[in-house]
Amino acid sequence: MTAAREEATPASAFARIGGHPAMRAITERFYDLMEQDPEFAELRAIHAPDLAPMRESLPLFLAGWAGGPRDWFERNPGKCMMSMHAPFPINRQTAEQWAVAMNRAIAEAEVADREVAEAMADVLSRMARGMARE
């Protein structure tokens, strides 16, 4: 790719937000909130006792979803968030708790581009609320 073409290519949301460090910070704060804040108790209850696998997986998903490395998608071919969450009892309340916790995690994380972070929070919140089956 030529230098001129490289300059014309906009940076991905993943790059603009701060790459893997930002995605990990968001994920860690999100799961810390879920584990420590009683506001998210119902959400926490529908998750596995050990959140370590999710703490490892979510930042990889977010990275690929935001235009960064697609490692999560390559490891999970043909999977989508809706089908992966189908077995869980997601109602409006737990979907809202997820959205609120993720918004707080993103708002509290150090990111390189706050505008991209806020847009990401908005889209993820809408996705979460769309998973409610009640």
Side-chain angles (χ1 to χ4, degrees), residues 20 23 27 56-73 76 79-81 84-85 98 124 127 131:
H20 283 298
M23 296 304 184
T27 298
E56 183 179 322
S57 180
L58 184 58
L60 296 175
F61 170 80
L62 293 174
W65 175 79
R70 301 204 37 94
D71 299 336
W72 186 93
F73 294 91
N76 297 282
K79 301 229 175 159
C80 73
M81 283 296 112
M84 291 185 73
H85 288 82
W98 194 100
L124 288 170
M127 286 173 51
M131 287 192 194

